[in-house]
Amino acid sequence: MAKTILITGATGMIGGHIVSEILRRGDRYIALTTNPLAAEKKLISPYNITSSKDVLSLINEKIDAITNLAGANLGGKRWNDKTKKEFYDSRIDITGGLVELISKMEHKP
C-alpha cells in the first residue's frame, strides 16, 4: 500500500531527490511550501501542495511520515544579523506549524 509523506523543502536540491525517490517507490507526497504557485510549476506529480500558512488543513490526512527540509537558502545571501534571523525564523516557524499539526491529528505520522 502506498505511503503518504509530507515534505517541506520539496522544491530544494535535497527535497527534489527525496521526491524522486518517493515517486520511484510508488508512494505519494504532500508538499508543504511557502509558495504553492512556484511549487506547482516545479514539482513532479504531487498528491497535494499546501501553503505552510494552511498546515492545519492537513489535520485529517493520513500522513505516514514527515520530512522537514524547510528553510531559507543558507548559501543564497551574505550572512549578517538580518539574514541569520531569516534563516532561523524560516526553520522555526514551519517546524512549529508541524508540531501543532501533529498534536491535533488523530492518526499521528
Side-chain angles (χ1 to χ4, degrees):
M1 182 170 188
K3 305 263 187 221
T4 301
I5 293 93
L6 174 63
I7 181 168
T8 68
T11 60
M13 181 179 67
I14 295 169
H17 290 290
I18 292 174
V19 163
S20 294
E21 182 62 19
I22 289 168
L23 295 174
R24 187 195 65 73
R25 291 184 348 190
D27 294 327
R28 61 189 189 171
Y29 71 98
I30 298 170
L32 186 66
T33 179
T34 56
N35 191 337
L37 294 176
E40 192 174 315
K41 293 176 186 174
K42 187 170 185 178
L43 294 173
I44 302 165
S45 304
Y47 167 67
N48 184 339
I49 298 174
T50 300
S51 170
S52 55
K53 293 176 184 174
D54 298 325
V55 66
L56 293 180
S57 70
L58 300 171
I59 200 164
N60 294 315
E61 288 284 345
K62 182 180 180 314
I63 297 170
D64 297 292
I66 297 174
T67 300
N68 185 6
L69 301 170
N73 181 349
L74 297 174
K77 298 178 183 176
R78 188 167 185 85
W79 287 43
N80 58 39
D81 289 341
K82 181 181 175 185
T83 57
K84 287 179 193 177
K85 181 171 175 19
E86 179 185 333
F87 299 151
Y88 179 85
D89 290 348
S90 67
R91 285 157 175 78
I92 296 301
D93 292 347
I94 201 151
T95 301
L98 290 171
V99 169
E100 183 179 6
L101 171 66
I102 294 166
S103 73
K104 293 181 178 186
M105 294 176 90
E106 185 175 335
H107 302 284
K108 312 278 189 231

XYZ file of all heavy atoms in Angstrom:
836
model
N 0.847 -1.181 0.000
C 0.000 0.000 0.000
C 0.893 1.245 0.000
O 1.861 1.337 0.744
C -0.895 -0.016 1.227
C -1.841 1.133 1.305
S -3.017 0.825 2.635
C -4.111 2.145 2.351
N 0.541 2.189 -0.818
C 1.331 3.418 -0.950
C 1.295 4.227 0.342
O 0.266 4.326 1.004
C 0.810 4.258 -2.105
N 2.418 4.791 0.674
C 2.544 5.665 1.841
C 2.402 7.115 1.388
O 2.667 7.447 0.233
C 3.914 5.487 2.494
C 4.243 4.073 2.855
C 3.933 3.828 4.282
C 4.443 2.455 4.670
N 3.544 1.755 5.493
N 2.006 7.963 2.319
C 1.936 9.397 2.060
C 2.955 10.088 2.946
O 2.934 9.927 4.163
C 0.526 9.947 2.348
O -0.414 9.262 1.516
C 0.450 11.441 2.069
N 3.835 10.854 2.311
C 4.880 11.575 3.028
C 4.633 13.063 2.877
O 4.443 13.561 1.765
C 6.284 11.207 2.493
C 6.618 9.749 2.819
C 7.353 12.083 3.130
C 6.284 8.786 1.777
N 4.612 13.765 3.987
C 4.534 15.223 3.989
C 5.971 15.727 3.959
O 6.789 15.318 4.782
C 3.817 15.723 5.241
C 3.789 17.242 5.457
C 3.031 17.935 4.339
C 3.170 17.579 6.804
N 6.282 16.582 3.003
C 7.646 17.073 2.872
C 7.665 18.587 2.750
O 6.916 19.167 1.978
C 8.391 16.398 1.691
C 9.836 16.891 1.576
C 7.639 16.520 0.399
C 10.698 16.090 0.635
N 8.494 19.205 3.573
C 8.763 20.631 3.428
C 10.113 20.741 2.731
O 10.963 19.870 2.886
C 8.826 21.349 4.788
O 9.980 20.909 5.493
C 7.574 21.083 5.619
N 10.296 21.767 1.953
C 11.552 21.901 1.220
C 11.607 21.018 -0.009
O 12.684 20.719 -0.521
N 10.458 20.603 -0.504
C 10.405 19.696 -1.658
C 10.990 20.314 -2.919
O 11.450 19.598 -3.801
C 8.962 19.258 -1.922
N 10.992 21.629 -3.015
C 11.498 22.277 -4.227
C 12.999 22.526 -4.179
O 13.585 22.968 -5.157
C 10.780 23.615 -4.488
O 11.001 24.476 -3.370
C 9.288 23.404 -4.709
N 13.624 22.225 -3.058
C 15.068 22.411 -2.936
C 15.849 21.255 -3.538
O 15.278 20.257 -4.004
N 17.169 21.375 -3.519
C 18.028 20.365 -4.123
C 17.846 18.995 -3.456
O 17.605 17.998 -4.138
C 19.490 20.794 -4.021
C 20.430 19.795 -4.665
S 22.155 20.306 -4.591
C 22.475 20.222 -2.842
N 17.934 18.944 -2.151
C 17.778 17.670 -1.446
C 16.333 17.193 -1.543
O 16.072 16.019 -1.802
C 18.231 17.797 0.019
C 19.730 18.093 0.062
C 17.900 16.538 0.811
C 20.252 18.492 1.421
N 15.394 18.111 -1.365
C 13.981 17.760 -1.464
C 13.624 17.164 -2.808
O 12.842 16.215 -2.890
N 14.205 17.690 -3.870
C 13.942 17.159 -5.207
C 14.370 15.709 -5.341
O 13.670 14.889 -5.957
N 15.502 15.365 -4.756
C 15.971 13.977 -4.791
C 15.054 13.069 -3.968
O 14.760 11.938 -4.374
C 17.403 13.881 -4.277
C 18.416 14.481 -5.204
N 18.750 13.916 -6.416
C 19.143 15.614 -5.112
C 19.659 14.658 -7.020
N 19.914 15.711 -6.245
N 14.609 13.573 -2.827
C 13.700 12.785 -1.989
C 12.367 12.565 -2.693
O 11.828 11.455 -2.684
C 13.524 13.443 -0.603
C 14.847 13.349 0.164
C 12.385 12.794 0.178
C 14.861 14.077 1.482
N 11.841 13.607 -3.326
C 10.591 13.477 -4.072
C 10.735 12.414 -5.159
O 9.849 11.566 -5.339
C 10.166 14.844 -4.671
C 9.134 14.669 -5.769
C 9.620 15.750 -3.572
N 11.840 12.435 -5.881
C 12.066 11.429 -6.930
C 12.049 10.019 -6.357
O 11.469 9.102 -6.941
C 13.402 11.675 -7.638
O 13.360 12.882 -8.348
N 12.664 9.846 -5.213
C 12.700 8.526 -4.579
C 11.317 8.113 -4.073
O 10.923 6.945 -4.198
C 13.714 8.511 -3.432
C 13.863 7.182 -2.754
C 14.359 6.053 -3.655
O 14.926 6.311 -4.729
O 14.164 4.874 -3.264
N 10.577 9.049 -3.516
C 9.204 8.759 -3.065
C 8.379 8.241 -4.230
O 7.693 7.220 -4.120
C 8.557 10.022 -2.448
C 9.196 10.349 -1.094
C 7.041 9.847 -2.304
C 8.820 11.722 -0.547
N 8.453 8.936 -5.356
C 7.679 8.537 -6.532
C 8.185 7.205 -7.107
O 7.391 6.367 -7.536
C 7.729 9.641 -7.587
C 7.053 10.952 -7.186
C 7.298 12.024 -8.239
C 5.563 10.753 -6.953
N 9.503 7.010 -7.116
C 10.069 5.768 -7.637
C 9.558 4.567 -6.842
O 9.297 3.506 -7.391
C 11.600 5.809 -7.582
C 12.272 4.608 -8.282
C 13.728 4.466 -7.932
N 13.964 4.146 -6.535
C 13.730 2.958 -5.961
N 13.234 1.963 -6.670
N 13.991 2.761 -4.689
N 9.392 4.746 -5.534
C 8.904 3.662 -4.680
C 7.407 3.421 -4.843
O 6.872 2.462 -4.304
C 9.179 3.980 -3.210
C 10.626 3.944 -2.846
C 10.877 4.171 -1.388
N 9.725 4.656 -0.632
C 9.776 5.091 0.605
N 10.915 5.109 1.246
N 8.698 5.518 1.220
N 6.721 4.330 -5.522
C 5.277 4.182 -5.684
C 4.477 4.842 -4.583
O 3.273 4.613 -4.460
N 5.138 5.664 -3.787
C 4.447 6.391 -2.733
C 4.014 7.754 -3.255
O 4.292 8.117 -4.393
C 5.362 6.548 -1.510
C 5.666 5.202 -0.845
O 4.793 4.309 -0.868
O 6.774 5.054 -0.304
N 3.319 8.506 -2.437
C 2.879 9.847 -2.837
C 3.345 10.847 -1.793
O 3.688 10.474 -0.665
C 1.374 9.892 -3.029
C 0.573 9.559 -1.798
C -0.886 9.414 -2.119
N -1.649 9.298 -0.885
C -2.944 9.327 -0.826
N -3.659 9.459 -1.916
N -3.570 9.225 0.326
N 3.333 12.121 -2.182
C 3.803 13.136 -1.248
C 2.916 14.361 -1.265
O 2.259 14.671 -2.256
C 5.262 13.525 -1.535
C 5.473 14.324 -2.801
C 5.590 15.710 -2.766
C 5.570 13.692 -4.032
C 5.779 16.444 -3.925
C 5.776 14.418 -5.192
C 5.887 15.787 -5.135
O 6.077 16.512 -6.289
N 2.914 15.018 -0.124
C 2.264 16.313 0.044
C 3.395 17.312 0.247
O 4.235 17.131 1.123
C 1.331 16.323 1.261
C 0.205 15.303 1.091
C 0.776 17.731 1.506
C -0.623 15.072 2.353
N 3.428 18.340 -0.569
C 4.445 19.384 -0.437
C 3.853 20.524 0.392
O 2.822 21.089 0.037
C 4.866 19.897 -1.804
N 4.518 20.835 1.487
C 4.141 21.972 2.321
C 5.135 23.075 2.008
O 6.346 22.893 2.177
C 4.192 21.591 3.802
C 3.680 22.635 4.777
C 2.171 22.854 4.587
C 3.967 22.206 6.207
N 4.646 24.199 1.514
C 5.530 25.221 0.966
C 5.050 26.626 1.280
O 3.855 26.846 1.501
C 5.655 25.033 -0.562
O 6.502 26.041 -1.105
C 4.305 25.078 -1.250
N 5.972 27.560 1.273
C 5.604 28.961 1.459
C 5.100 29.576 0.152
O 4.495 30.640 0.173
C 6.796 29.788 1.974
O 7.882 29.643 1.062
C 7.215 29.331 3.359
N 5.362 28.909 -0.973
C 4.970 29.451 -2.272
C 4.345 28.352 -3.142
O 5.015 27.779 -4.004
C 6.189 30.067 -2.967
C 5.806 30.869 -4.189
O 4.752 30.666 -4.786
N 6.670 31.775 -4.581
N 3.059 28.070 -2.921
C 2.402 26.991 -3.672
C 2.422 27.169 -5.195
O 2.555 26.185 -5.916
C 0.960 27.010 -3.144
C 1.070 27.606 -1.787
C 2.173 28.626 -1.893
N 2.316 28.400 -5.679
C 2.314 28.608 -7.130
C 3.655 28.229 -7.753
O 3.699 27.561 -8.791
C 1.946 30.056 -7.471
C 0.522 30.478 -7.112
C 0.304 31.956 -7.409
C -0.491 29.626 -7.861
N 4.740 28.626 -7.129
C 6.065 28.263 -7.631
C 6.278 26.756 -7.523
O 6.842 26.132 -8.425
C 7.146 29.019 -6.875
N 5.825 26.171 -6.423
C 5.983 24.729 -6.234
C 5.200 23.956 -7.286
O 5.678 22.943 -7.804
C 5.521 24.337 -4.832
N 4.030 24.440 -7.622
C 3.203 23.783 -8.633
C 3.925 23.700 -9.977
O 3.818 22.707 -10.689
C 1.879 24.543 -8.774
C 0.827 23.817 -9.569
C -0.504 24.551 -9.549
O -0.921 24.989 -8.464
O -1.102 24.688 -10.627
N 4.671 24.732 -10.306
C 5.411 24.761 -11.572
C 6.639 23.848 -11.538
O 7.060 23.341 -12.563
C 5.855 26.189 -11.889
C 4.702 27.111 -12.197
C 5.187 28.527 -12.414
C 4.004 29.474 -12.589
N 4.415 30.874 -12.661
N 7.193 23.638 -10.356
C 8.458 22.929 -10.247
C 8.316 21.444 -9.906
O 9.124 20.634 -10.334
C 9.328 23.610 -9.185
C 10.717 23.063 -9.102
C 11.606 23.907 -8.233
C 13.030 23.378 -8.281
N 13.944 24.156 -7.502
N 7.304 21.089 -9.134
C 7.202 19.727 -8.616
C 6.595 18.745 -9.611
O 5.764 19.108 -10.436
C 6.384 19.724 -7.324
C 7.029 20.449 -6.154
C 6.052 20.530 -4.989
C 8.322 19.771 -5.739
N 7.000 17.493 -9.459
C 6.519 16.404 -10.304
C 5.474 15.608 -9.526
O 5.754 15.117 -8.433
C 7.677 15.465 -10.691
C 8.763 16.238 -11.422
C 7.192 14.279 -11.499
C 10.078 15.493 -11.515
N 4.296 15.508 -10.060
C 3.239 14.622 -9.556
C 2.954 14.694 -8.053
O 2.867 13.661 -7.395
C 3.548 13.170 -9.928
O 3.719 13.029 -11.299
N 2.778 15.888 -7.495
C 2.431 15.913 -6.070
C 1.000 15.431 -5.848
O 0.124 15.647 -6.685
C 2.562 17.388 -5.698
C 2.286 18.110 -6.979
C 2.827 17.220 -8.072
N 0.770 14.774 -4.735
C -0.579 14.400 -4.333
C -1.329 15.665 -3.913
O -2.514 15.814 -4.160
C -0.503 13.381 -3.202
C -1.802 13.141 -2.476
C -2.877 12.539 -3.115
C -1.956 13.512 -1.153
C -4.063 12.317 -2.455
C -3.142 13.286 -0.471
C -4.194 12.692 -1.130
O -5.375 12.478 -0.468
N -0.591 16.569 -3.287
C -1.190 17.787 -2.763
C -0.075 18.801 -2.558
O 1.035 18.432 -2.194
C -1.870 17.456 -1.423
C -2.618 18.597 -0.794
O -2.374 19.754 -1.091
N -3.527 18.278 0.110
N -0.370 20.061 -2.809
C 0.534 21.159 -2.473
C -0.247 22.073 -1.537
O -1.327 22.540 -1.883
C 0.995 21.944 -3.719
C 1.770 21.041 -4.668
C 1.835 23.156 -3.315
C 2.140 21.704 -5.994
N 0.307 22.299 -0.357
C -0.377 23.093 0.653
C 0.523 24.221 1.122
O 1.715 24.019 1.339
C -0.770 22.204 1.856
O -1.636 21.169 1.391
C -1.477 22.998 2.938
N -0.062 25.382 1.291
C 0.683 26.523 1.834
C 1.005 26.270 3.299
O 0.181 25.728 4.044
C -0.156 27.795 1.707
O 0.458 28.850 2.421
N 2.195 26.669 3.697
C 2.582 26.499 5.102
C 1.635 27.266 6.032
O 1.482 26.911 7.193
C 4.029 26.929 5.327
O 4.233 28.246 4.885
N 0.982 28.291 5.514
C 0.006 29.041 6.317
C -1.248 28.207 6.581
O -1.995 28.496 7.502
C -0.385 30.335 5.609
C 0.748 31.324 5.502
C 0.341 32.541 4.714
C 1.524 33.469 4.533
N 1.220 34.587 3.655
N -1.473 27.186 5.742
C -2.661 26.337 5.855
C -2.331 24.937 6.358
O -3.047 23.978 6.075
C -3.361 26.231 4.491
C -3.848 27.569 3.981
O -4.276 28.398 4.801
O -3.800 27.780 2.754
N -1.242 24.799 7.092
C -0.785 23.479 7.530
C -1.872 22.706 8.271
O -1.999 21.495 8.118
C 0.519 23.581 8.361
C 0.298 24.302 9.668
C 1.127 22.204 8.598
N -2.701 23.391 9.041
C -3.734 22.690 9.808
C -4.846 22.125 8.925
O -5.636 21.293 9.379
C -4.307 23.598 10.895
C -3.322 23.965 12.012
C -3.988 24.868 13.039
C -2.723 22.739 12.662
N -4.888 22.522 7.654
C -5.864 21.937 6.729
C -5.550 20.462 6.459
O -6.384 19.739 5.921
C -5.914 22.718 5.416
O -4.717 22.511 4.669
N -4.372 20.016 6.861
C -3.956 18.627 6.643
C -4.298 17.723 7.828
O -3.923 16.556 7.844
C -2.446 18.576 6.376
C -1.965 19.362 5.163
C -0.444 19.410 5.127
C -2.528 18.765 3.883
N -5.038 18.244 8.773
C -5.303 17.528 10.028
C -5.957 16.163 9.813
O -5.721 15.228 10.577
C -6.127 18.414 10.993
C -5.993 17.915 12.413
C -7.567 18.520 10.569
C -6.443 18.925 13.441
N -6.763 16.005 8.772
C -7.463 14.742 8.538
C -6.788 13.853 7.495
O -7.309 12.783 7.177
C -8.918 15.007 8.149
C -9.689 15.625 9.293
O -9.579 15.181 10.435
N -10.452 16.662 9.015
N -5.654 14.288 6.977
C -4.902 13.461 6.020
C -4.245 12.307 6.765
O -3.814 12.462 7.907
C -3.805 14.276 5.332
C -4.297 15.274 4.333
C -4.745 14.657 3.013
O -4.421 13.484 2.730
O -5.420 15.362 2.257
N -4.149 11.166 6.100
C -3.377 10.061 6.665
C -1.946 10.229 6.159
O -1.633 9.913 5.023
C -3.922 8.705 6.264
C -3.107 7.606 6.925
C -3.563 6.228 6.599
C -2.717 5.185 7.288
N -1.287 5.350 7.235
N -1.106 10.751 7.009
C 0.290 11.008 6.671
C 1.133 9.982 7.419
O 1.029 9.841 8.636
C 0.683 12.451 7.055
C -0.142 13.438 6.236
C 2.170 12.672 6.876
C -0.028 14.880 6.678
N 1.950 9.255 6.665
C 2.757 8.196 7.263
C 4.084 8.698 7.810
O 4.631 8.119 8.751
C 3.006 7.090 6.234
C 1.702 6.443 5.798
O 1.079 5.761 6.631
O 1.285 6.645 4.638
N 4.619 9.756 7.199
C 5.920 10.281 7.633
C 6.023 11.750 7.244
O 5.335 12.213 6.325
C 7.056 9.495 6.992
N 6.896 12.457 7.950
C 7.156 13.860 7.649
C 8.658 14.040 7.483
O 9.439 13.561 8.309
C 6.636 14.792 8.760
C 5.112 14.687 8.879
C 7.064 16.244 8.499
C 4.519 15.467 10.039
N 9.038 14.726 6.407
C 10.431 15.114 6.193
C 10.463 16.627 6.165
O 9.829 17.248 5.317
C 10.969 14.546 4.862
O 10.877 13.131 4.904
C 12.402 14.951 4.639
N 11.181 17.222 7.108
C 11.214 18.679 7.224
C 12.565 19.213 6.752
O 13.555 19.150 7.469
C 10.947 19.095 8.675
C 10.837 20.592 8.836
O 10.847 21.340 7.869
N 10.735 21.037 10.059
N 12.579 19.744 5.538
C 13.786 20.323 4.946
C 13.625 21.820 4.717
O 14.414 22.422 3.985
C 14.093 19.640 3.607
C 14.311 18.139 3.650
C 14.369 17.581 2.235
C 15.568 17.807 4.417
N 12.612 22.409 5.315
C 12.295 23.812 5.054
C 13.353 24.750 5.600
O 14.029 24.455 6.579
C 10.943 24.166 5.678
N 13.451 25.868 4.954
C 14.317 26.929 5.438
C 14.897 27.729 4.295
O 15.090 27.230 3.195
N 15.173 28.978 4.586
C 15.793 29.862 3.599
C 17.164 29.301 3.210
O 17.868 28.706 4.033
C 15.932 31.268 4.169
N 17.543 29.508 1.970
C 18.809 29.024 1.427
C 19.975 29.668 2.175
O 20.168 30.873 2.132
C 18.866 29.358 -0.064
C 20.124 28.868 -0.733
O 21.075 28.442 -0.090
N 20.119 28.935 -2.050
N 20.767 28.834 2.834
C 21.886 29.339 3.634
C 23.023 29.892 2.778
O 23.822 30.691 3.248
C 22.432 28.237 4.547
C 21.462 27.705 5.594
C 22.082 26.531 6.335
C 21.049 28.785 6.554
N 23.102 29.473 1.543
C 24.178 29.946 0.670
C 23.746 31.043 -0.268
O 24.542 31.541 -1.060
N 22.501 31.445 -0.175
C 21.961 32.404 -1.125
C 22.244 33.866 -0.821
O 22.111 34.714 -1.695
N 22.628 34.142 0.394
C 22.826 35.537 0.808
C 24.036 35.645 1.734
O 24.410 34.682 2.399
C 21.595 36.054 1.566
C 20.325 36.086 0.761
C 19.172 36.572 1.621
C 17.873 36.549 0.838
N 16.740 36.932 1.669
N 24.568 36.824 1.792
C 25.651 37.110 2.741
C 25.081 37.055 4.156
O 24.012 37.581 4.422
C 26.222 38.494 2.436
C 27.448 38.828 3.219
C 28.100 40.074 2.617
N 29.329 40.351 3.271
C 30.504 39.798 2.948
N 30.558 38.965 1.949
N 31.586 40.119 3.593
N 25.802 36.429 5.063
C 25.330 36.283 6.430
C 25.567 37.566 7.220
O 26.666 38.107 7.241
C 26.062 35.139 7.113
C 25.637 33.775 6.658
C 25.400 33.373 5.372
C 25.414 32.641 7.462
N 25.044 32.060 5.336
C 25.048 31.576 6.621
C 25.490 32.407 8.827
C 24.757 30.308 7.091
C 25.208 31.141 9.298
C 24.843 30.107 8.441
N 24.492 38.045 7.834
C 24.565 39.172 8.761
C 23.448 38.949 9.782
O 22.757 37.928 9.727
C 24.450 40.516 8.015
C 23.172 40.631 7.212
O 22.106 40.189 7.644
N 23.263 41.209 6.020
N 23.264 39.858 10.688
C 22.249 39.654 11.725
C 20.855 39.484 11.124
O 20.069 38.652 11.583
C 22.256 40.799 12.734
C 23.485 40.774 13.629
O 24.136 39.701 13.730
O 23.812 41.811 14.231
N 20.541 40.249 10.093
C 19.223 40.182 9.465
C 19.004 38.822 8.788
O 17.959 38.200 8.961
C 19.068 41.313 8.444
C 17.718 41.338 7.769
C 17.634 42.467 6.766
C 16.326 42.407 6.000
N 16.259 43.395 4.944
N 19.978 38.376 7.997
C 19.804 37.094 7.296
C 19.849 35.918 8.274
O 19.135 34.935 8.076
C 20.843 36.897 6.174
O 22.155 37.002 6.716
C 20.641 37.877 5.050
N 20.637 36.016 9.332
C 20.654 34.955 10.336
C 19.269 34.798 10.964
O 18.813 33.685 11.204
C 21.693 35.238 11.415
C 23.114 35.030 10.957
C 24.062 35.365 12.098
C 25.481 35.486 11.628
N 26.383 35.887 12.719
N 18.617 35.905 11.237
C 17.261 35.851 11.782
C 16.303 35.221 10.767
O 15.452 34.408 11.130
C 16.774 37.243 12.177
C 15.367 37.237 12.770
C 14.976 38.560 13.345
C 13.569 38.651 13.842
N 12.829 37.469 14.125
N 16.451 35.578 9.488
C 15.618 34.994 8.427
C 15.837 33.480 8.360
O 14.878 32.710 8.265
C 15.965 35.636 7.088
C 15.185 35.092 5.918
C 15.638 35.669 4.588
O 16.158 36.797 4.553
O 15.484 34.966 3.578
N 17.096 33.049 8.390
C 17.405 31.619 8.352
C 16.754 30.903 9.534
O 16.131 29.848 9.380
C 18.915 31.373 8.410
C 19.697 31.963 7.263
C 21.019 32.343 7.456
C 19.151 32.134 6.007
C 21.765 32.879 6.422
C 19.889 32.672 4.955
C 21.199 33.037 5.171
N 16.905 31.479 10.703
C 16.362 30.899 11.931
C 14.832 30.838 11.872
O 14.231 29.773 12.069
C 16.825 31.725 13.135
C 16.292 31.235 14.458
C 16.941 30.220 15.141
C 15.150 31.805 15.020
C 16.458 29.767 16.363
C 14.668 31.354 16.235
C 15.324 30.337 16.903
O 14.838 29.893 18.098
N 14.216 31.977 11.597
C 12.752 32.054 11.578
C 12.149 31.120 10.544
O 11.104 30.506 10.785
C 12.289 33.487 11.323
C 12.553 34.421 12.488
O 12.890 33.935 13.595
O 12.438 35.651 12.291
N 12.787 31.008 9.382
C 12.230 30.173 8.313
C 12.207 28.701 8.720
O 11.401 27.933 8.196
C 13.020 30.352 7.017
O 14.336 29.840 7.126
N 13.053 28.315 9.614
C 13.064 26.932 10.084
C 12.147 26.735 11.298
O 11.389 25.765 11.370
C 14.494 26.516 10.436
C 15.304 26.277 9.174
C 16.795 26.408 9.375
N 17.503 26.061 8.149
C 17.618 26.863 7.098
N 17.080 28.076 7.107
N 18.259 26.468 6.014
N 12.212 27.641 12.233
C 11.434 27.524 13.470
C 9.932 27.656 13.201
O 9.130 26.888 13.749
C 11.892 28.564 14.510
C 13.343 28.294 14.917
C 10.972 28.598 15.720
C 13.598 26.929 15.520
N 9.535 28.606 12.378
C 8.111 28.836 12.129
C 7.437 27.602 11.531
O 6.378 27.183 11.989
C 7.901 30.051 11.218
C 8.281 31.358 11.893
O 8.474 31.368 13.131
O 8.409 32.378 11.181
N 8.036 27.011 10.499
C 7.397 25.857 9.863
C 7.440 24.641 10.780
O 6.498 23.857 10.823
C 7.981 25.560 8.472
C 6.986 24.741 7.667
C 9.307 24.854 8.562
C 7.059 24.930 6.197
N 8.508 24.502 11.542
C 8.592 23.385 12.484
C 7.516 23.511 13.553
O 6.870 22.519 13.917
C 9.994 23.310 13.114
O 10.956 23.152 12.063
C 10.104 22.145 14.084
N 7.282 24.721 14.023
C 6.205 24.948 14.989
C 4.853 24.574 14.417
O 4.019 23.979 15.107
N 4.628 24.916 13.155
C 3.375 24.547 12.498
C 3.211 23.040 12.385
O 2.116 22.497 12.573
N 4.309 22.337 12.093
C 4.260 20.878 12.000
C 3.970 20.253 13.363
O 3.189 19.304 13.462
C 5.577 20.329 11.444
C 5.851 20.626 9.982
C 7.274 20.223 9.616
C 4.841 19.945 9.076
N 4.589 20.780 14.399
C 4.343 20.279 15.757
C 2.873 20.470 16.126
O 2.230 19.555 16.671
C 5.272 20.972 16.783
C 4.850 20.676 18.209
C 6.720 20.561 16.536
N 2.328 21.626 15.808
C 0.910 21.879 16.091
C 0.017 20.924 15.304
O -0.942 20.364 15.845
C 0.555 23.333 15.765
C -0.875 23.670 16.108
C -1.248 25.118 15.826
O -0.428 25.871 15.247
O -2.376 25.494 16.185
N 0.334 20.725 14.017
C -0.442 19.789 13.192
C -0.434 18.400 13.816
O -1.495 17.798 14.007
C 0.137 19.735 11.767
C -0.431 18.637 10.864
C -1.905 18.895 10.567
C 0.385 18.532 9.579
N 0.733 17.883 14.117
C 0.854 16.532 14.661
C 0.074 16.411 15.978
O -0.604 15.419 16.215
C 2.330 16.144 14.851
C 3.030 16.033 13.490
C 2.452 14.830 15.628
C 4.537 15.981 13.583
N 0.165 17.441 16.807
C -0.511 17.384 18.114
C -2.033 17.297 17.967
O -2.703 16.765 18.842
C -0.127 18.584 18.975
O -0.747 19.769 18.504
N -2.552 17.805 16.851
C -4.006 17.837 16.661
C -4.527 16.687 15.803
O -5.736 16.496 15.683
C -4.418 19.162 16.037
C -4.193 20.324 16.995
C -4.613 21.642 16.402
C -4.388 22.724 17.455
N -4.886 24.020 17.037
N -3.614 15.904 15.198
C -4.032 14.798 14.334
C -4.473 13.607 15.181
O -3.828 13.260 16.167
C -2.874 14.378 13.416
C -2.484 15.426 12.423
S -1.021 14.925 11.446
C -1.874 14.109 10.094
N -5.557 12.985 14.755
C -5.991 11.765 15.436
C -5.027 10.627 15.143
O -4.660 9.863 16.035
C -7.402 11.396 14.965
C -7.970 10.216 15.704
C -9.403 9.927 15.335
O -10.116 10.858 14.898
O -9.815 8.769 15.467
N -4.605 10.503 13.883
C -3.652 9.469 13.468
C -2.307 10.141 13.227
O -2.129 10.838 12.235
C -4.146 8.743 12.222
C -5.486 8.095 12.410
N -5.644 6.947 13.115
C -6.717 8.484 12.004
C -6.915 6.618 13.142
N -7.598 7.541 12.478
N -1.387 9.922 14.139
C -0.077 10.578 14.065
C 0.814 9.906 13.021
O 0.758 8.690 12.856
C 0.628 10.508 15.432
C -0.236 10.908 16.619
C -0.303 12.371 16.802
C -0.987 12.718 18.119
N -2.031 13.668 17.989
N 1.647 10.693 12.352
C 2.609 10.103 11.413
C 3.612 9.212 12.141
O 3.872 9.372 13.304
C 3.313 11.311 10.809
C 2.461 12.489 11.126
C 1.693 12.122 12.349
